[in-house]
Amino acid sequence: IDLRSLTLLGSALGIGIGVGLQDIAKNFGSGLVLRFERAVQVGDFIEIDQHRGVVERIGARSITVRTLDNISVLVPNANLIGSQVRNWDHGHPLTRLHLTVGVAYGSDPQQVKSALLQAAQEHENVLTKPMPDVYFKSFGDSSIEFDLMVWIRSPTLQLKIRSDLYYRMEEILRERGITIPFPQQDVHVRSGELPITLSPEVIEALKGLSGDRE
Protein backbone atom coordinates (compact mmCIF):
# COMPACT_ATOMS: atom_id res chain seq x y z
CA ILE A 1 0.00 0.00 0.00
CA ASP A 2 1.35 3.41 -1.02
CA LEU A 3 1.15 5.50 2.13
CA ARG A 4 1.61 8.70 0.18
CA SER A 5 -1.71 8.11 -1.65
CA LEU A 6 -3.46 7.56 1.65
CA THR A 7 -1.95 10.77 2.99
CA LEU A 8 -3.18 12.79 0.00
CA LEU A 9 -6.64 11.21 0.28
CA GLY A 10 -6.80 11.98 3.98
CA SER A 11 -5.72 15.57 3.37
CA ALA A 12 -8.45 16.07 0.73
CA LEU A 13 -11.08 14.59 3.04
CA GLY A 14 -9.86 16.78 5.88
CA ILE A 15 -10.13 19.93 3.77
CA GLY A 16 -13.65 19.01 2.62
CA ILE A 17 -14.82 18.22 6.14
CA GLY A 18 -13.22 21.41 7.44
CA VAL A 19 -15.01 23.58 4.88
CA GLY A 20 -18.32 21.89 5.64
CA LEU A 21 -17.88 22.29 9.39
CA GLN A 22 -16.90 25.91 8.85
CA ASP A 23 -20.24 26.64 7.11
CA ILE A 24 -22.13 24.77 9.83
CA ALA A 25 -20.30 26.67 12.57
CA LYS A 26 -20.92 29.97 10.75
CA ASN A 27 -24.66 29.35 10.47
CA PHE A 28 -24.85 28.06 14.04
CA GLY A 29 -23.08 31.16 15.38
CA SER A 30 -25.35 33.40 13.31
CA GLY A 31 -28.36 31.58 14.77
CA LEU A 32 -27.16 32.37 18.29
CA VAL A 33 -26.76 36.03 17.37
CA LEU A 34 -30.30 36.11 15.98
CA ARG A 35 -31.71 34.59 19.16
CA PHE A 36 -29.88 37.03 21.42
CA GLU A 37 -30.56 40.16 19.37
CA ARG A 38 -34.15 39.12 18.49
CA ALA A 39 -33.93 41.22 15.33
CA VAL A 40 -35.99 38.59 13.53
CA GLN A 41 -38.69 36.63 15.34
CA VAL A 42 -41.31 34.06 14.45
CA GLY A 43 -44.30 35.81 12.89
CA ASP A 44 -42.33 38.77 11.50
CA PHE A 45 -42.94 39.83 7.92
CA ILE A 46 -39.51 40.19 6.29
CA GLU A 47 -37.85 40.57 2.90
CA ILE A 48 -34.46 39.01 2.12
CA ASP A 49 -32.81 37.88 -1.13
CA GLN A 50 -35.89 38.88 -3.16
CA HIS A 51 -38.07 36.69 -0.92
CA ARG A 52 -40.91 38.29 1.04
CA GLY A 53 -42.91 36.40 3.64
CA VAL A 54 -43.60 35.50 7.26
CA VAL A 55 -40.97 33.82 9.46
CA GLU A 56 -42.33 30.44 10.55
CA ARG A 57 -39.31 28.89 12.27
CA ILE A 58 -35.87 29.91 13.48
CA GLY A 59 -33.55 26.90 13.63
CA ALA A 60 -29.93 26.34 14.55
CA ARG A 61 -28.82 26.44 10.89
CA SER A 62 -31.55 28.31 8.99
CA ILE A 63 -34.92 30.02 9.22
CA THR A 64 -38.10 29.10 7.34
CA VAL A 65 -39.94 31.88 5.52
CA ARG A 66 -43.45 31.32 4.19
CA THR A 67 -43.82 33.58 1.13
CA LEU A 68 -46.99 35.24 -0.10
CA ASP A 69 -47.25 32.44 -2.69
CA ASN A 70 -47.40 29.91 0.18
CA ILE A 71 -43.89 28.58 -0.55
CA SER A 72 -41.46 27.67 2.23
CA VAL A 73 -37.98 29.12 1.70
CA LEU A 74 -35.05 27.99 3.87
CA VAL A 75 -32.62 30.87 4.41
CA PRO A 76 -29.24 30.17 6.10
CA ASN A 77 -28.75 32.14 9.29
CA ALA A 78 -25.49 33.57 7.98
CA ASN A 79 -27.43 35.30 5.16
CA LEU A 80 -29.49 37.23 7.70
CA ILE A 81 -26.36 38.42 9.51
CA GLY A 82 -24.32 39.25 6.41
CA SER A 83 -26.98 40.88 4.22
CA GLN A 84 -29.64 43.55 4.49
CA VAL A 85 -32.98 42.34 5.86
CA ARG A 86 -36.17 44.39 5.72
CA ASN A 87 -38.41 43.64 8.71
CA TRP A 88 -41.83 45.32 8.69
CA ASP A 89 -42.76 44.06 12.17
CA HIS A 90 -39.58 44.97 14.03
CA GLY A 91 -40.52 47.30 16.87
CA HIS A 92 -43.93 48.27 15.43
CA PRO A 93 -46.34 46.84 12.86
CA LEU A 94 -47.19 50.14 11.16
CA THR A 95 -46.16 50.47 7.51
CA ARG A 96 -46.47 53.39 5.11
CA LEU A 97 -47.26 52.80 1.44
CA HIS A 98 -46.36 55.18 -1.39
CA LEU A 99 -48.61 55.14 -4.46
CA THR A 100 -47.56 57.30 -7.41
CA VAL A 101 -50.19 58.51 -9.88
CA GLY A 102 -49.67 60.61 -13.01
CA VAL A 103 -52.48 62.69 -14.53
CA ALA A 104 -52.68 64.74 -17.70
CA TYR A 105 -51.45 68.32 -17.84
CA GLY A 106 -54.31 70.76 -17.36
CA SER A 107 -55.91 68.75 -14.55
CA ASP A 108 -56.88 70.55 -11.36
CA PRO A 109 -54.34 69.51 -8.68
CA GLN A 110 -56.87 70.05 -5.89
CA GLN A 111 -59.36 67.76 -7.62
CA VAL A 112 -56.67 65.12 -8.00
CA LYS A 113 -55.74 65.39 -4.32
CA SER A 114 -59.39 65.10 -3.30
CA ALA A 115 -59.87 61.99 -5.47
CA LEU A 116 -56.82 60.23 -4.07
CA LEU A 117 -57.77 61.01 -0.48
CA GLN A 118 -61.29 59.74 -1.10
CA ALA A 119 -59.94 56.40 -2.30
CA ALA A 120 -57.71 56.12 0.77
CA GLN A 121 -60.43 57.07 3.25
CA GLU A 122 -62.84 54.51 1.82
CA HIS A 123 -60.48 51.56 2.34
CA GLU A 124 -61.05 49.71 5.60
CA ASN A 125 -57.38 48.75 6.08
CA VAL A 126 -56.04 52.30 5.76
CA LEU A 127 -55.48 53.95 9.13
CA THR A 128 -57.01 57.32 9.93
CA LYS A 129 -54.17 58.13 12.37
CA PRO A 130 -51.67 58.92 10.96
CA MET A 131 -53.92 60.41 8.29
CA PRO A 132 -53.42 59.76 4.56
CA ASP A 133 -51.77 62.58 2.66
CA VAL A 134 -51.06 63.56 -0.95
CA TYR A 135 -47.91 65.30 -2.18
CA PHE A 136 -47.36 67.03 -5.50
CA LYS A 137 -44.34 64.99 -6.61
CA SER A 138 -43.06 66.43 -9.89
CA PHE A 139 -43.75 67.61 -13.43
CA GLY A 140 -43.14 64.55 -15.61
CA ASP A 141 -42.49 64.27 -19.31
CA SER A 142 -46.13 63.57 -20.17
CA SER A 143 -47.95 63.95 -16.83
CA ILE A 144 -47.95 65.69 -13.46
CA GLU A 145 -47.22 63.17 -10.72
CA PHE A 146 -48.72 62.88 -7.26
CA ASP A 147 -47.71 60.65 -4.34
CA LEU A 148 -50.41 59.19 -2.10
CA MET A 149 -49.08 58.06 1.28
CA VAL A 150 -51.16 55.86 3.57
CA TRP A 151 -50.45 53.93 6.77
CA ILE A 152 -51.51 50.32 7.31
CA ARG A 153 -51.28 47.92 10.23
CA SER A 154 -51.00 44.62 8.31
CA PRO A 155 -47.77 44.43 6.27
CA THR A 156 -48.74 41.04 4.83
CA LEU A 157 -51.71 42.69 3.06
CA GLN A 158 -49.74 45.51 1.46
CA LEU A 159 -49.93 44.09 -2.08
CA LYS A 160 -53.70 43.65 -1.86
CA ILE A 161 -54.21 47.08 -0.30
CA ARG A 162 -52.06 48.71 -2.95
CA SER A 163 -54.03 46.99 -5.71
CA ASP A 164 -57.38 47.96 -4.16
CA LEU A 165 -56.33 51.59 -3.89
CA TYR A 166 -55.16 51.75 -7.51
CA TYR A 167 -58.45 50.23 -8.69
CA ARG A 168 -60.47 52.75 -6.70
CA MET A 169 -58.28 55.75 -7.66
CA GLU A 170 -58.65 54.97 -11.35
CA GLU A 171 -62.43 54.71 -10.95
CA ILE A 172 -62.76 58.02 -9.08
CA LEU A 173 -60.45 59.87 -11.47
CA ARG A 174 -62.47 58.58 -14.43
CA GLU A 175 -65.73 59.70 -12.80
CA ARG A 176 -64.31 63.21 -12.33
CA GLY A 177 -63.08 63.42 -15.90
CA ILE A 178 -59.38 63.33 -14.96
CA THR A 179 -57.36 61.32 -17.44
CA ILE A 180 -54.19 59.30 -16.90
CA PRO A 181 -52.02 59.81 -20.00
CA PHE A 182 -49.75 57.29 -21.60
CA PRO A 183 -46.05 58.11 -22.21
CA GLN A 184 -45.55 59.92 -25.50
CA GLN A 185 -42.92 61.90 -27.35
CA ASP A 186 -43.29 64.61 -29.98
CA VAL A 187 -41.01 64.38 -33.01
CA HIS A 188 -40.58 67.50 -35.17
CA VAL A 189 -39.37 66.88 -38.73
CA ARG A 190 -38.09 69.81 -40.77
CA SER A 191 -38.42 69.59 -44.54
CA GLY A 192 -35.84 71.15 -46.81
CA GLU A 193 -33.92 70.86 -50.04
CA LEU A 194 -30.36 69.66 -50.32
CA PRO A 195 -28.28 70.80 -53.32
CA ILE A 196 -27.15 67.73 -55.26
CA THR A 197 -24.58 68.09 -58.02
CA LEU A 198 -24.02 65.23 -60.45
CA SER A 199 -21.08 64.88 -62.74
CA PRO A 200 -21.66 64.81 -66.55
CA GLU A 201 -20.65 61.14 -66.64
CA VAL A 202 -23.33 60.21 -64.10
CA ILE A 203 -25.96 62.21 -65.99
CA GLU A 204 -25.09 60.44 -69.26
CA ALA A 205 -25.22 57.06 -67.52
CA LEU A 206 -28.66 57.84 -66.08
CA LYS A 207 -29.90 58.93 -69.51
CA GLY A 208 -28.64 55.69 -70.98
CA LEU A 209 -30.47 53.66 -68.35
CA SER A 210 -33.70 55.57 -68.94
CA GLY A 211 -33.31 55.04 -72.70
CA ASP A 212 -32.84 51.28 -72.27
CA ARG A 213 -36.06 51.08 -70.22
CA GLU A 214 -37.96 52.87 -72.97
Side-chain angles (χ1 to χ4, degrees):
I1 301 175
D2 191 352
L3 296 180
R4 289 178 298 177
S5 299
L6 292 178
T7 302
L8 293 175
L9 180 60
S11 300
L13 290 176
I15 294 174
I17 294 174
V19 173
L21 292 177
Q22 181 180 4
D23 291 337
I24 293 175
K26 183 179 180 180
N27 288 319
F28 182 77
S30 299
L32 294 178
V33 173
L34 290 175
R35 290 186 180 275
F36 281 110
E37 288 189 349
R38 302 179 65 85
V40 177
Q41 303 181 46
V42 175
D44 288 352
F45 186 72
I46 68 171
E47 179 180 357
I48 180 174
D49 296 338
Q50 299 181 351
H51 297 295
R52 183 182 298 180
V54 179
V55 178
E56 288 190 334
R57 185 186 66 88
I58 299 179
R61 190 190 66 85
S62 63
I63 69 170
T64 303
V65 179
R66 176 73 63 175
T67 66
L68 299 178
D69 297 327
N70 202 28
I71 299 175
S72 295
V73 179
L74 302 179
V75 181
N77 292 331
N79 288 14
L80 277 80
I81 300 298
S83 60
Q84 184 177 7
V85 180
R86 181 175 297 180
N87 189 344
W88 276 273
D89 290 308
H90 185 63
H92 56 80
L94 298 183
T95 303
R96 187 167 69 174
L97 301 182
H98 294 255
L99 296 91
T100 301
V101 179
V103 298
Y105 278 96
S107 303
D108 186 355
Q110 296 300 327
Q111 286 292 328
V112 176
K113 180 179 180 179
S114 175
L116 301 186
L117 289 178
Q118 178 183 345
Q121 294 167 357
E122 292 177 354
H123 202 286
E124 59 182 0
N125 294 114
V126 174
L127 300 179
T128 56
K129 293 182 180 181
M131 296 179 57
D133 203 355
V134 176
Y135 286 88
F136 198 130
K137 188 176 180 180
S138 65
F139 292 97
D141 294 334
S142 57
S143 64
I144 50 179
E145 298 181 352
F146 296 83
D147 194 6
L148 171 64
M149 293 185 292
V150 299
W151 290 88
I152 62 175
R153 194 179 298 276
S154 302
T156 56
L157 299 177
Q158 58 180 282
L159 294 180
K160 181 180 183 305
I161 296 174
R162 184 184 296 272
S163 177
D164 293 342
L165 289 176
Y166 271 123
Y167 272 120
R168 184 57 179 150
M169 285 190 295
E170 193 278 334
E171 183 180 0
I172 297 176
L173 291 175
R174 182 160 32 88
E175 291 175 354
R176 300 191 180 191
I178 302 174
T179 59
I180 301 177
F182 57 88
Q184 57 184 350
Q185 293 182 347
D186 296 331
V187 179
H188 300 277
V189 179
R190 294 184 178 180
S191 60
E193 296 181 358
L194 296 177
I196 300 177
T197 303
L198 300 178
S199 62
E201 293 80 3
V202 175
I203 296 176
E204 292 296 331
L206 293 175
K207 290 181 178 180
L209 292 175
S210 61
D212 293 340
R213 291 181 181 179
E214 294 176 358

